[in-house]
Amino acid sequence: MVASADLLRVEDLAISFAIMGGAIHAVKRANLRILPGKVTALVGESGSGKSVIGQAIMGILPRSARARGRILFSDPESPGETADILQMPPDGREIRGIRGRRIGKIFQEPMTSLSPLHTIGNQVGEVLKIHTTLSAEECRERTEGMLALVGFPNPRRAYDMYPFELSGGLRQRAMIAMALICHPALLIADEPTTALDVTIQAQILLLLRELQANLNMAMLLITHDLGVVANVADEVVVIYHGEIMEAGPVDAIFRRPTHPYLKGLMAAVPHFDMKPGERLKALREVPVNVENLLGKKKPKKGTDVLLSVRNLTKSFSIRQSDWSFGEVATVRAVDCVSFDIRRGECLGLVGESGSGKTTVSKLLMRAVTPDQGSVVFNDSDSPIDVLSATGSALRKLRTKIQMVFQDPVSSLSPRMTVQNILSEPLEIHGRGDAQTRLASVSALMRAIGLDQHFVNRYPHSFSGGQRQRIGIARALALGPDLLICDEPVSALDVSVQAQILNLLKDLQKELGLTYLFISHNLAVVDYMADRIAVMCGGRIVELAPREALMGNPIHPYTRALLAAIPFPDLDRPLDLGMLRKNGASDTATWGPQFRDDGEEGVLAHTDIGDGHFLLARRSADAKELLPC
Amino acid sequence: MLRYVGWRIAAMVPTLLIISALVFTIIELPPGDYFESYAAELRAQGEGVDMGQLEALRAEYGFDQPVVIRYFYWVAGMLQGDFGYSFEYQVPVSDVIGNRMWLTVLVSFVTIVFTWVIAFPIGMYSATHQYSWGDYGLTFLGLIGIAIPNFMLALILMYFANIWFGTSIGHLMDQRYLGEPMSWDKAKSIVEHLWIPVIIIGTAGTAGMIRRLRANLLDELQKQYVMTARAKGLHPFRTLVKYPLRMSLNFFVSDIGSILPAIISGAEITAIVLSLETTGPMLIKALRSQDMYLAGAFLMFLAFLTVIGVLISDLALAILDPRIRLQGGSTK
């Protein structure tokens, strides 16, 4: 029989959700198989039904879901026997014996998928308590061993820590430990690295691959990221709107994609080999129409500086205390940051989470007050001191600098219609009367390619990409000069990401906007930016024109960031040597010329030509700074 | 954390001082004092009043002194455990309250336990069986419980108890045990009488708690970590108790702050309707007759319990939720 060769077979699976007045068919007659000891990737956009299949395999579908078909699990523990998971009574003893013991699962959000009230050891060890008869000491020993295996530097201490005391990467490692502690035959990883930084993502992928090989288990990797697929998977299954489009070995799929959907998906990912001016092909392109838009200017690109930032510094104090008397530690979130944004350009700001890039954007918006430094905005008639502006100068400044946020869900009020959201900035600044505001809103809707009829809807009836477009329209309402985009696409799918990036590019061209584009994704910044600044630990470590930074990265941190990006290309696997255990921001791995070793003020920005700045020791000579 | 506890306890002192000043002001606000009300009452009954004797009493209790000085005498007395003298009962305040205090605590404590025992299983059932017939039925009952005022429920129960069983359900014990020392028969009589006030006083609280528990649990059941627990193979009931229920306990602990004062004040109106021998009716009577030291002692005691209750619930929250204990606040 062929079936016995497969660890898991999904046959004619159909899943629907009962909703008011009908049903949503999330999965339609899906067939797929998972081979033992191999990594099978299930690729699709959000809403394609890929996560629902993962839930169905575990038998943890939401109560409103109805599943038909067969999910056949051939447990290697009991050869020859095949059980249909869908036939088992829900939450019954049989299915609970499979969950956690024979099939493990890790989720996308490591913060929300761990209980904040229970220690790591409690939550990981619980799996052993459910499925084994080990004593408490043995459980603790096994748990600590598992935590060590997934890369916790000090498992004994980590056992008694709470999830919120750990970084995102370590939390995801704890989730992996929880899923693998009973050595399951199958691991379902549902977007395991989407919420993580690139460097951490590379480490987690590496870890998953290693563990998968060492424990000889199969893995179902659910993801939308083709770069991840190319680096990890053996088999690929592509799903689109609940239907399986294409399936096969990774080699065949990547080298000879046949289905137009997969081809489109591949063209939508920004990559480093793009020619200047080459455009991403979004699956669904948005037409931009900026006629009648407020503040439409002649596009001009010059060398005059629009925003000048000098020596910006901000420290936060953190209270670290248990039951004892608290000690106050200070962390320099932003440390002597200086840069210029030229009129009409896009300056990219790259760094991992915690590098201080979002704090910089908050400082520029005056949401946080800096300890020292200066920010000057060169308006068309006179320069404005951003940090000390008050009264009418501040009001004027607010119309000049606007922000696009990361999360399109929480950045739009759920109780306001699109009409309210888009006209609110106009109302605050007393622009026009009700009639002209209405006209402005419809001009904004045209600019972002949304239909006029949608203005009376609420944000929840839009998709993530549409919501982000509304967020962009809100930022454009007052006709700003400078747009600060804080991770505008990192919460979006690849296909939607391309659409938003193209929209931002078009708007920049049509309206003569200047961007500060903040992102952790170097490939995205590479597509958008004219010049790129790389931040690490609150400092800008390298700042250079795009071609120079991508073609000739010098700082070890920049190089580590570049090395950690997974390419959707089988011939460019991740460079494992570059992915050190502590992440790219571990200064110990940097060359001595880039470290300050605790000394104050020994590092300075050095120009190595063509506007390529590096943060290095003053004493280091130019030769040391060139790549070896 | 120790610093936090110390700071919180230190902050209680000014809080209580301010409250005592407010309480004293409010008691002083109505024109006249106890002796005037007393004289008026005597006159109303057609008896003569010896004004000289009243003046002498006034002087004895310091009522001829300025208000501020009397306030300080009062506060200083309370610090030494002397709560003043009840004019109406002609004994020290602590003697008057002491008699009824433990009965009040008993009724309130049993009521709280009753509330929890009923509310928790029903709340859990309602949340896990959302939109089922059981959920709708219990929700309906709960809403009725919230909507009917306690004293109304008391009157209805009294009426039907009289018609069906021919008994009066008032009081907390058979009247012949009043003032008697504690005995086996007296305890039995109290237990027999206790359940009626407990049900009446507890109904609204139970229904409210069911609603809140259900809403909190419904929020928590949507969370990702519940899915994680199911994916481990944990039994559904164990999952419910260990994760979402534990998370939804925060609101419950925050409630302790308001439960403590309620123990003493009891449900005054219900207590009057049922003629319960608790402190509630006494407080109302003291306020009416301007028996100022008795009323003042009551109000101060309530304030003190509120402050203590809030402190306890804050500390309990810190113990229950490591995020509050360990994370602290970072400054902007």
Side-chain angles (χ1 to χ4, degrees):
Chain A
M1 249 178 87
V2 195
S4 60
D6 302 330
L7 179 71
L8 189 101
R9 285 183 74 87
V10 173
E11 292 178 353
D12 285 335
L13 180 68
I15 300 170
S16 60
F17 288 91
I19 51 156
M20 291 281 191
I24 297 173
H25 298 282
V27 178
K28 300 160 201 156
R29 300 181 67 80
N31 288 289
L32 65 99
R33 58 172 193 169
I34 298 169
L35 298 170
K38 297 275 190 213
V39 178
T40 307
L42 183 57
V43 190
E45 296 171 89
S46 43
S48 59
K50 57 189 195 305
S51 293
V52 181
I53 292 182
Q55 290 173 357
I57 293 173
M58 292 286 269
I60 50 175
L61 283 168
R63 215 181 302 148
S64 59
R66 292 283 166 273
R68 277 177 293 113
R70 296 203 295 168
I71 298 175
L72 302 173
F73 181 53
S74 319
D75 196 339
E77 247 187 5
S78 45
E81 279 179 44
T82 301
D84 186 351
I85 288 173
L86 285 184
Q87 295 302 319
M88 296 178 184
D91 285 328
R93 185 183 296 276
E94 205 180 351
I95 183 76
R96 277 190 279 118
I98 290 178
R99 286 184 202 153
R101 194 175 66 86
R102 301 309 302 156
I103 304 180
K105 185 163 188 190
I106 53 181
F107 299 91
Q108 175 174 353
E109 276 287 335
M111 183 71 240
T112 51
S113 41
L114 289 166
S115 159
L117 301 183
H118 299 83
T119 58
I120 295 290
N122 180 327
Q123 296 187 57
V124 175
E126 186 179 32
V127 187
L128 284 178
K129 250 183 249 160
I130 299 167
H131 297 293
T132 64
T133 51
L134 297 176
S135 69
E137 291 84 52
E138 284 171 317
C139 271
R140 177 160 186 142
E141 205 175 300
R142 281 269 294 272
T143 306
E144 283 178 4
M146 196 66 215
L147 289 176
L149 190 66
V150 296
F152 270 86
N154 186 350
R156 197 164 289 272
R157 197 170 121 68
Y159 188 95
D160 292 315
M161 282 170 96
Y162 290 97
F164 58 82
E165 295 176 277
L166 303 175
S167 67
L170 279 180
R171 280 181 216 147
Q172 196 59 297
R173 285 170 194 267
M175 279 301 292
I176 294 172
M178 190 191 292
L180 298 187
I181 197 161
C182 283
H183 299 299
L186 171 65
L187 173 69
I188 301 174
D190 190 354
E191 303 266 10
T193 57
T194 308
L196 305 173
D197 277 335
V198 260
T199 49
I200 309 293
Q201 159 169 303
Q203 292 170 24
I204 296 286
L205 290 179
L206 198 64
L207 174 73
L208 281 175
R209 187 86 232 214
E210 272 174 17
L211 289 172
Q212 181 263 331
N214 291 347
L215 303 176
N216 191 29
M217 88 194 154
M219 185 157 98
L220 176 66
L221 179 72
I222 300 172
T223 183
H224 70 268
D225 191 337
L226 289 170
V228 170
V229 176
N231 275 283
V232 181
D234 302 306
E235 301 262 321
V236 180
V237 179
V238 183
I239 185 169
Y240 178 66
H241 280 318
E243 286 177 81
I244 305 284
M245 294 284 124
E246 214 166 345
V250 65
D251 213 57
I253 295 279
F254 268 80
R255 296 197 198 282
R256 296 176 296 280
T258 54
H259 201 277
Y261 171 68
L262 185 61
K263 283 183 186 163
L265 210 55
M266 285 182 160
V269 187
H271 52 93
F272 294 117
D273 306 327
M274 297 177 78
K275 295 162 204 73
E278 190 186 337
R279 215 175 140 80
L280 288 176
K281 289 180 201 69
L283 286 176
R284 292 167 286 270
E285 197 66 71
V286 175
V288 171
N289 179 357
V290 293
E291 289 303 312
N292 310 323
L293 196 61
L294 199 73
K296 186 168 184 284
K297 308 172 193 61
K298 278 264 163 284
K300 48 185 168 184
K301 207 162 191 172
T303 46
D304 64 320
V305 171
L306 181 69
L307 189 83
S308 173
V309 178
R310 288 288 169 269
N311 298 327
L312 209 55
T313 300
K314 175 70 188 170
S315 302
F316 291 109
S317 53
I318 299 169
R319 206 175 36 172
Q320 297 171 315
S321 67
D322 196 346
W323 291 89
S324 58
F325 289 90
E327 282 169 27
V328 177
T330 50
V331 173
R332 268 201 198 158
V334 176
D335 191 357
C336 256
V337 163
S338 306
F339 58 85
D340 290 329
I341 305 178
R342 298 180 193 140
R343 199 177 296 276
E345 79 163 349
C346 176
L347 177 71
L349 191 58
V350 189
E352 293 173 281
S353 33
S355 62
K357 51 193 196 310
T358 297
T359 312
V360 168
S361 76
K362 285 182 183 162
L363 290 169
L364 295 184
M365 292 302 289
R366 296 232 341 219
V368 176
T369 315
D371 301 334
Q372 51 169 297
S374 73
V375 181
V376 176
F377 182 82
N378 291 307
D379 195 23
S380 39
D381 13 289
S382 60
I384 304 174
D385 183 352
V386 173
L387 298 178
S388 65
T390 50
S392 64
L394 182 62
R395 278 181 76 83
K396 188 174 170 195
L397 188 68
R398 293 289 188 212
T399 67
K400 299 290 182 187
I401 308 179
Q402 286 287 320
M403 205 154 171
V404 176
F405 299 95
Q406 171 173 3
D407 184 359
V409 179
S410 59
S411 61
L412 299 177
S413 163
R415 311 208 196 301
M416 286 165 84
T417 61
V418 174
Q419 167 84 39
N420 296 142
I421 290 171
L422 293 185
S423 64
E424 193 183 31
L426 301 168
E427 284 161 26
I428 291 170
H429 287 272
R431 296 267 180 90
D433 52 28
Q435 208 60 45
T436 54
R437 276 182 210 140
L438 214 60
S440 305
V441 169
S442 59
L444 284 169
M445 291 293 275
R446 270 200 297 280
I448 55 163
L450 277 182
D451 198 278
Q452 300 284 325
H453 303 106
F454 292 162
V455 287
N456 288 322
R457 293 204 191 165
Y458 289 89
H460 66 79
S461 56
F462 295 94
S463 70
Q466 287 172 326
R467 273 185 242 186
Q468 195 59 298
R469 273 145 68 187
I470 295 169
I472 292 170
R474 177 176 57 183
L476 292 177
L478 293 166
D481 291 333
L482 174 66
L483 222 53
I484 299 175
C485 306
D486 190 357
E487 304 261 15
V489 293
S490 53
L492 304 174
D493 272 350
V494 207
S495 54
V496 185
Q497 173 180 314
Q499 182 193 53
I500 297 289
L501 292 178
N502 283 342
L503 174 72
L504 283 170
K505 273 208 146 176
D506 293 344
L507 288 169
Q508 184 181 28
K509 203 163 65 193
E510 297 288 328
L511 300 174
L513 293 168
T514 308
Y515 287 153
L516 174 61
F517 193 93
I518 300 171
S519 178
H520 69 272
N521 189 337
L522 258 176
V524 168
V525 173
D526 175 54
Y527 179 64
M528 290 296 294
D530 301 305
R531 291 188 306 140
I532 299 174
V534 181
M535 265 189 103
C536 173
R539 294 170 175 165
I540 292 184
V541 294
E542 191 163 5
L543 196 164
R546 184 183 72 88
E547 301 81 22
L549 192 95
M550 291 297 160
N552 183 22
I554 295 172
H555 199 280
Y557 180 70
T558 314
R559 295 163 72 124
L561 276 187
L562 278 168
I565 297 174
F567 287 90
D569 183 348
L570 295 176
D571 303 321
R572 290 173 69 177
L574 287 169
D575 180 1
L576 305 184
M578 286 292 280
L579 305 168
R580 299 198 175 73
K581 217 170 185 181
N582 298 332
S585 53
D586 179 13
T587 52
T589 60
W590 297 359
Q593 66 271 35
F594 298 110
R595 295 190 305 226
D596 62 357
D597 293 324
E599 296 171 63
E600 282 281 329
V602 292
L603 295 179
H605 282 106
T606 318
D607 188 355
I608 60 163
D610 301 329
H612 193 148
F613 292 91
L614 266 180
L615 185 72
R617 278 185 174 254
R618 286 175 206 280
S619 52
D621 63 64
K623 221 183 274 170
E624 276 185 281
L625 299 179
L626 291 177
C628 26
Chain B
M1 194 69 203
L2 277 180
R3 189 203 307 223
Y4 173 73
V5 175
W7 184 84
R8 281 300 307 269
I9 291 174
M12 281 168 59
V13 175
T15 313
L16 285 173
L17 271 179
I18 294 171
I19 293 173
S20 72
L22 281 176
V23 165
F24 196 79
T25 314
I26 291 169
I27 297 172
E28 283 288 320
L29 271 182
D33 50 39
Y34 174 78
F35 303 104
E36 263 168 42
S37 332
Y38 178 62
E41 204 173 304
L42 284 184
R43 273 194 217 98
Q45 291 167 6
E47 293 177 33
V49 183
D50 183 351
M51 288 315 283
Q53 194 191 342
L54 274 185
E55 283 307 315
L57 274 171
R58 273 221 175 96
E60 188 188 335
Y61 291 107
F63 274 67
D64 49 352
Q65 308 266 358
V67 177
V68 181
I69 292 180
R70 274 190 286 142
Y71 167 70
F72 280 110
Y73 274 135
W74 181 59
V75 171
M78 278 197 298
L79 286 179
Q80 296 159 14
D82 172 16
F83 290 94
Y85 189 80
S86 167
F87 304 114
E88 184 149 18
Y89 295 87
Q90 307 277 339
V91 280
V93 167
S94 42
D95 290 357
V96 184
I97 300 182
N99 274 337
R100 290 181 170 223
M101 189 66 88
W102 77 267
L103 275 177
T104 314
V105 171
L106 178 75
V107 172
S108 305
F109 182 75
V110 176
T111 308
I112 289 171
V113 171
F114 168 81
T115 309
W116 292 351
V117 167
I118 303 286
F120 265 80
I122 293 183
M124 282 158 70
Y125 176 87
S126 274
T128 48
H129 297 76
Q130 193 191 7
Y131 302 144
S132 66
W133 281 109
D135 179 31
Y136 283 132
L138 290 165
T139 300
F140 179 69
L141 279 182
L143 288 178
I144 287 182
I146 294 178
I148 297 181
N150 281 349
F151 66 88
M152 174 88 111
L153 196 62
L155 287 174
I156 295 172
L157 271 186
M158 277 169 87
Y159 176 75
F160 282 111
N162 217 347
I163 287 189
W164 290 338
F165 309 116
T167 55
S168 163
I169 57 170
H171 302 286
L172 268 179
M173 64 191 94
D174 212 313
Q175 289 307 291
R176 62 198 147 111
Y177 297 113
L178 264 186
E180 295 259 313
M182 197 56 187
S183 64
W184 183 240
D185 288 337
K186 181 173 173 177
K188 238 166 61 181
S189 168
I190 290 176
V191 171
E192 275 168 13
H193 282 78
L194 195 59
W195 62 275
I196 295 276
V198 162
I199 288 176
I200 291 168
I201 300 171
T203 307
T206 309
M209 181 163 283
I210 289 173
R211 298 306 297 163
R212 272 175 295 164
L213 190 66
R214 177 177 177 274
N216 273 283
L217 269 181
L218 281 178
D219 278 352
E220 294 299 328
L221 283 169
Q222 305 295 326
K223 298 271 172 77
Q224 183 72 58
Y225 60 80
V226 179
M227 187 78 96
T228 310
R230 287 182 68 198
K232 285 183 202 173
L234 197 61
H235 188 277
F237 183 74
R238 290 270 308 134
T239 308
L240 177 69
V241 173
K242 181 168 177 185
Y243 296 104
L245 189 64
R246 168 86 193 272
M247 286 291 278
S248 56
L249 277 187
N250 274 13
F251 92 91
F252 177 76
V253 170
S254 317
D255 256 11
I256 295 177
S258 56
I259 285 179
L260 262 193
I263 287 183
I264 301 309
S265 68
E268 289 89 353
I269 299 176
T270 313
I272 291 172
V273 171
L274 288 176
S275 334
L276 301 183
E277 289 80 12
T278 58
T279 47
M282 189 179 258
L283 170 61
I284 289 178
K285 202 170 160 201
L287 285 171
R288 244 189 357 225
S289 64
Q290 287 186 303
D291 190 352
M292 65 162 293
Y293 289 122
L294 183 57
F298 260 122
L299 293 178
M300 274 318 288
F301 205 62
L302 286 180
F304 184 68
L305 283 174
T306 311
V307 174
I308 290 276
V310 172
L311 176 71
I312 290 177
S313 70
D314 280 3
L315 295 184
L317 270 182
I319 291 167
L320 199 67
D321 193 336
R323 287 170 300 180
I324 297 170
R325 180 169 76 242
L326 296 170
Q327 225 162 12
S330 64
T331 53
K332 266 233 168 117

